[in-house]
Amino acid sequence: MPGIDKLPIEETLEDSPQTRSLLGVFEEDATAISNYMNQLYQAMHRIYDAQNELSAATHLTSKLLKEYEKQRFPLGGDDEVMSSTLQQFSKVIDELSSCHAVLSTQLADAMMFPITQFKERDLKEILTLKEVFQIASNDHDAAINRYSRLSKKRENDKVKYEVIEDVYTSRKKQHQTMMHYFCALNTLQYKKKIALLEPLLGYMQAQISFFKMGSENLSEQLEEFLTNIGTSVQNVRREMDSDVETMQQTIEDLEVASDPLYVPDPDPMKFPVNRNLTRKAGYLNARNKTGLVSSTWDRQFYFTQGGNLMSQARGDVAGGLAMDIDNCSVMAVDCEDRRYCFQITSFDGKKSSILQAESKKDHEEWICTINNISKQIYLSENPEEIAARVNQSALEAVTPSPSFQQRHESLRPAGQSWPPTARTSSSGSLGSESTSLAALSLDSLVAPDTPIQFDIISPVCEDQPGQAKASSQGNRRTNPFGESGGGTKSETEDSILHQLFIVRFLGSMEVKSDDNPDVVYETMRQILAARAIHNIFRMTESHLLVTCDCLKLIDPQTQVTRLTFPLPSVVLYATHQENKRLFGFVLRTSGGRSESNLSSVCYIFESNNEGEKICDSVGLAKQIALHAELDRRASEKQKEIERVKEKQQKELSKQKQIEKDLEEQSRLIAASSRPNQASSEGQFVVLSSSQSEESDLGEEGKKRESEA
């Protein structure tokens, strides 16, 4: 081929420096060719390996598609259309797998074989000749050196002959090796081009052959089949996109609606308790005793099924029977300082279980649901309706009239603040009343130097008659549940409301205002700050009894009444804005630090997460007392009207009797005057004194009647 430089073979015997320099250029070129061809060989070998892997993977795909109809998917069902479609795809892919196998064979023969031959044979031959030439050149140089050192004075024919023979042999060997080496280097320029073009030609011919085989296999019928499958895939994709859009919208709606539910104990004002349930499910913590005093709590999913309480651990396929709750008893209990615990006891009392709910709402709903099931309400046609009637009957049993609960709810404002004599909601109206707090200075609520009382000592005993009476009876034990004991009645026995709470007294102080709930909040802040400053951690625990007449603090050990607060004097009450365990109320009393007639004292307590419930009870008690007072006034007014009517009726009957007597007297007078008409004018009829008085009364009655 023109343009290819060659090493001059005829100059190999002379072995001039120019020839050696040109040989170095050819050797450098051979090294570059060797490096490049190694890289090209690795790239083509990767193509060959990938084609073999593709062929094997295609064959495996075809095999798996054939086995689809043998698979049993839990949600797949028997989809014959999908099975037949995949069978057809399997056949086509199997044919493509055969084509790929043929392509792999062609690549091995037409692409990999030529470049492998060049790499393994031609390049190695160059390296071998280079090493042999280097050895021959070194031997020739050594022989020439020995020949040059022959002595001119002492010639030895034998040594001279050996040296000459050695020079002859080494020169001949060098010349022959150099000629073959030059020939191989000259030939490498041609082989390089062949080694580059022949594998590429084989690769392209193999690909063309593969495409021709694919074109022959992909008939028009297969193209129509693929078009139909493509249309089906697009329809499925559109359906999927629509379904995904619907699910995304549902997720957004549920996220907005479920945001309050993320709180473990949601606000009962937003999520009221449903007491009419006959079925319920949810997670509960179950107490399991592991020893005499030790126990563990396991969280499991519980649900009711008829008259049975079932439990199911996470990962279980079905639930198991936990307890038969027909005719069982359920009650809230305190267990291991855990909240929201309740105990279920079987009807025979042999089995009991203590469970813990996650929130107050769940706690009350589980108790109500189990109560409804224990009464076998679930066996009726409309269990929830019957449960509602039963609960309404139970509510009416503790209210003054059937409509009392409705009146109580209707009188409670939904979004407004309560009046001074009503409960201030700690959750509904606190936000709206924050602006009023900004308008009032703290000095207008609580005086800066007001002393704080940390012990339960009544400041109103001397001024309240009722309080003095209660104090005089302090040595007598008080039953907080209103039951009679020892043949004497409790002073709150006639009250229809009896609710007992465990509270701890934090402190009390005189306040300057009693018409704003911020007074309670500011008093809480000052008392808590004072306790922290003076390191006062001791708190007196008591039982707070809420009745329709008063609030009582009862010693839990001796049941002696420590303090009594008349309910009409409680003018304000509220819970803490953040810590629902804190609550307080303002008591309006006569006297105090100031010289005015009335003063107000704020009492602050801590409860067991029942602050709102206590305030609700106080509000309910005041509502009951209000309605009782209204009923009493209405009854007195009705009695007064009846007395007036009775008096009028008596006067009217008396007047009628007088009129009858007058008529009778008139007849008598007329009868007596007829036979004595001829008598003298001096004769007259004498009436008795009683008759004269009756006549006078009759005349007065007539005057009154005419005036009326």
Side-chain angles (χ1 to χ4, degrees):
M1 294 180 65
I4 296 178
D5 296 329
K6 296 181 181 180
L7 286 170
I9 299 176
E10 57 275 5
E11 296 180 2
T12 54
L13 182 60
E14 184 179 358
D15 193 16
S16 62
Q18 291 80 5
T19 304
R20 285 294 184 113
S21 177
L22 186 60
L23 176 62
V25 174
F26 271 77
E27 287 179 345
E28 185 178 355
D29 184 71
T31 303
I33 290 174
S34 177
N35 294 333
Y36 177 78
M37 294 305 293
N38 284 330
Q39 296 178 8
L40 184 62
Y41 172 81
Q42 293 176 0
M44 291 186 174
H45 202 278
R46 289 182 62 186
I47 294 175
Y48 176 67
D49 292 340
Q51 184 58 42
N52 288 334
E53 183 64 26
L54 180 60
S55 177
T58 308
H59 178 70
L60 179 60
T61 303
S62 174
K63 182 180 178 181
L64 291 175
L65 292 178
K66 289 179 181 178
E67 296 177 354
Y68 176 81
E69 60 182 0
K70 299 179 182 178
Q71 302 297 319
R72 294 294 179 264
F73 299 101
L75 301 178
D78 297 331
D79 194 349
E80 296 181 356
V81 177
M82 179 63 72
S83 297
S84 61
T85 302
L86 294 181
Q87 287 296 325
Q88 191 166 353
F89 267 117
S90 174
K91 294 178 182 179
V92 176
I93 294 176
D94 194 18
E95 294 178 359
L96 291 176
S97 176
S98 302
C99 296
H100 282 294
V102 173
L103 177 60
S104 298
T105 305
Q106 291 179 349
L107 290 177
D109 296 338
M111 182 182 70
M112 295 306 300
F113 181 73
I115 195 170
T116 302
Q117 286 291 99
F118 178 74
K119 177 177 176 294
E120 298 294 335
R121 186 183 62 185
D122 298 332
L123 292 180
K124 284 187 176 181
E125 181 184 3
I126 295 295
L127 293 176
T128 303
L129 289 175
K130 181 178 180 181
E131 293 176 358
V132 173
F133 169 69
Q134 191 66 35
I135 294 172
S137 177
N138 293 335
D139 292 344
H140 178 261
D141 292 341
I144 290 297
N145 288 333
R146 285 197 301 270
Y147 177 75
S148 299
R149 290 197 300 268
L150 286 175
S151 176
K152 182 172 66 173
K153 297 179 180 180
R154 294 180 299 172
E155 292 186 0
N156 188 341
D157 294 337
K158 183 179 180 180
V159 173
K160 184 178 180 182
Y161 176 77
E162 289 178 357
V163 171
I164 293 172
E165 186 66 25
D166 190 14
V167 170
Y168 171 80
T169 303
S170 60
R171 182 172 290 177
K172 180 179 180 181
K173 182 179 179 181
Q174 178 190 0
H175 184 236
Q176 291 177 352
T177 303
M178 195 173 184
M179 287 190 296
H180 288 289
Y181 184 39
F182 279 25
C183 179
L185 289 175
N186 290 334
T187 308
L188 183 63
Q189 300 301 318
Y190 297 94
K191 291 181 179 180
K192 176 184 71 172
K193 297 182 180 296
I194 295 173
L196 286 172
L197 297 176
E198 190 173 9
L200 297 176
L201 179 63
Y203 173 75
M204 296 305 298
Q205 288 178 348
Q207 293 291 345
I208 291 172
S209 175
F210 172 74
F211 291 143
K212 286 182 178 180
M213 287 188 294
S215 177
E216 293 174 358
N217 292 330
L218 295 176
S219 60
E220 295 180 359
Q221 183 178 1
L222 183 59
E223 291 180 359
E224 183 179 358
F225 168 72
L226 295 177
T227 303
N228 295 334
I229 296 300
T231 304
S232 300
V233 170
Q234 293 299 324
N235 294 334
V236 173
R237 187 179 297 278
R238 282 193 295 269
E239 183 179 355
M240 180 190 68
D241 293 340
S242 177
D243 197 10
V244 168
E245 184 178 358
T246 304
M247 289 189 291
Q248 290 293 339
Q249 184 63 38
T250 303
I251 290 173
E252 293 178 1
D253 296 341
L254 288 177
E255 285 179 350
V256 175
S258 303
D259 187 68
L261 299 177
Y262 297 148
V263 182
D265 199 356
D267 187 0
M269 301 297 293
K270 297 180 180 179
F271 301 94
V273 177
N274 187 355
R275 305 181 184 276
N276 306 327
L277 297 175
T278 56
R279 290 183 300 174
K280 187 167 178 60
Y283 280 97
L284 297 173
N285 292 328
R287 181 174 178 264
N288 299 319
K289 295 195 68 175
T290 57
L292 294 176
V293 294
S294 60
S295 61
T296 60
W297 294 81
D298 296 331
R299 189 168 186 262
Q300 291 187 353
F301 186 81
Y302 284 82
F303 60 95
T304 60
Q305 191 175 65
N308 298 324
L309 180 65
M310 313 292 288
S311 65
Q312 183 176 359
R314 184 172 293 177
D316 291 350
V317 178
L321 178 63
M323 181 179 290
D324 182 6
I325 54 178
D326 270 341
N327 300 318
C328 72
S329 63
V330 58
M331 62 181 295
V333 295
D334 293 331
C335 184
E336 297 183 4
D337 197 24
R338 285 184 173 237
R339 302 182 301 166
Y340 311 134
C341 293
F342 59 96
Q343 180 175 358
I344 308 172
T345 306
S346 60
F347 68 96
D348 55 2
K350 295 181 179 179
K351 184 177 182 181
S352 64
S353 178
I354 296 179
L355 303 173
Q356 181 190 19
E358 189 176 78
S359 64
K360 182 179 180 182
K361 176 178 179 293
D362 281 347
H363 177 255
E364 296 186 9
E365 285 187 351
W366 271 107
I367 293 177
C368 294
T369 303
I370 295 174
N371 260 328
N372 294 335
I373 294 176
S374 66
K375 300 173 185 176
Q376 298 184 348
I377 297 177
Y378 66 93
L379 298 176
S380 58
E381 293 183 358
N382 297 318
E384 292 191 1
E385 182 179 350
I386 295 178
R389 288 205 300 267
V390 171
N391 292 329
Q392 183 65 25
S393 301
L395 180 63
E396 292 174 357
V398 295
T399 54
S401 63
S403 61
F404 169 73
Q405 183 68 17
Q406 298 174 359
R407 296 205 309 267
H408 171 61
E409 294 295 334
S410 64
L411 289 174
R412 176 178 294 181
Q416 302 176 357
S417 60
W418 288 75
T421 58
R423 174 182 177 266
T424 302
S425 172
S426 63
S427 60
S429 62
L430 295 182
S432 62
E433 292 173 353
S434 60
T435 57
S436 63
L437 179 61
L440 294 174
S441 64
L442 297 180
D443 293 343
S444 65
L445 301 177
V446 180
D449 298 329
T450 303
I452 299 176
Q453 187 73 43
F454 295 109
D455 293 328
I456 300 180
I457 299 177
S458 174
V460 295
C461 292
E462 300 177 358
D463 303 321
Q464 295 291 337
Q467 186 75 15
K469 182 179 180 181
S471 301
S472 64
Q473 298 175 355
N475 295 329
R476 182 173 57 86
R477 292 174 62 88
T478 302
N479 191 336
F481 301 101
E483 299 174 354
S484 60
T488 62
K489 290 187 177 181
S490 173
E491 54 188 28
T492 59
E493 187 178 16
D494 295 334
S495 177
I496 63 174
L497 180 66
H498 295 272
Q499 289 191 341
L500 196 68
F501 304 95
I502 298 175
V503 297
R504 289 169 292 278
F505 181 69
L506 293 177
S508 63
M509 60 188 301
E510 187 175 341
V511 295
K512 302 174 67 175
S513 173
D514 57 8
D515 58 353
N516 194 294
D518 300 322
V519 175
V520 180
Y521 306 149
E522 178 61 19
T523 305
M524 289 180 181
R525 187 189 67 80
Q526 292 196 19
I527 289 177
L528 292 176
R531 279 182 166 270
I533 292 173
H534 299 290
N535 295 324
I536 301 175
F537 302 107
R538 183 182 59 84
M539 293 182 289
T540 305
E541 184 171 284
S542 303
H543 287 173
L544 178 65
L545 178 63
V546 181
T547 67
C548 298
D549 302 324
C550 61
L551 306 180
K552 287 188 176 183
L553 285 180
I554 301 173
D555 191 315
Q557 303 295 330
T558 63
Q559 297 299 310
V560 174
T561 301
R562 290 174 172 171
L563 207 58
T564 303
F565 306 100
L567 194 62
S569 300
V570 179
V571 296
L572 186 65
Y573 45 93
T575 60
H576 194 273
Q577 295 169 299
E578 297 178 357
N579 187 357
K580 302 303 180 183
R581 300 172 61 184
L582 300 179
F583 76 97
F585 58 84
V586 178
L587 191 73
R588 184 180 294 170
T589 62
S590 60
R593 294 175 66 225
S594 62
E595 298 298 331
S596 60
N597 294 330
L598 295 178
S599 64
S600 300
V601 179
C602 184
Y603 293 84
I604 305 301
F605 296 87
E606 181 187 35
S607 64
N608 297 332
N609 293 324
E610 294 180 338
E612 290 185 341
K613 190 174 181 180
I614 295 174
C615 289
D616 287 337
S617 299
V618 176
L620 183 60
K622 294 185 76 66
Q623 290 289 340
I624 293 175
L626 175 63
H627 286 287
E629 180 66 20
L630 293 177
D631 292 342
R632 186 186 63 80
R633 291 181 181 179
S635 177
E636 291 180 355
K637 187 175 182 181
Q638 184 66 27
K639 288 180 180 180
E640 183 67 24
I641 293 173
E642 290 178 356
R643 283 196 299 268
V644 172
K645 286 184 178 180
E646 185 179 356
K647 185 177 180 181
Q648 291 178 354
Q649 192 70 23
K650 288 182 179 180
E651 291 180 355
L652 184 61
S653 61
K654 193 172 182 180
Q655 290 176 3
K656 289 182 179 180
Q657 184 65 34
I658 292 173
E659 290 176 356
K660 288 181 181 180
D661 293 342
L662 290 174
E663 290 177 357
E664 185 67 24
Q665 290 178 5
S666 299
R667 281 198 304 271
L668 292 174
I669 293 171
S672 62
S673 63
R674 285 193 192 100
N676 299 323
Q677 289 180 355
S679 62
S680 62
E681 295 179 357
Q683 294 178 347
F684 55 90
V685 178
V686 179
L687 298 177
S688 64
S689 62
S690 62
Q691 290 176 346
S692 62
E693 289 176 1
E694 289 178 356
S695 63
D696 294 339
L697 291 173
E699 290 176 359
E700 289 178 3
K702 288 181 180 180
K703 288 181 180 180
R704 290 177 183 175
E705 189 174 359
S706 62
E707 290 176 359

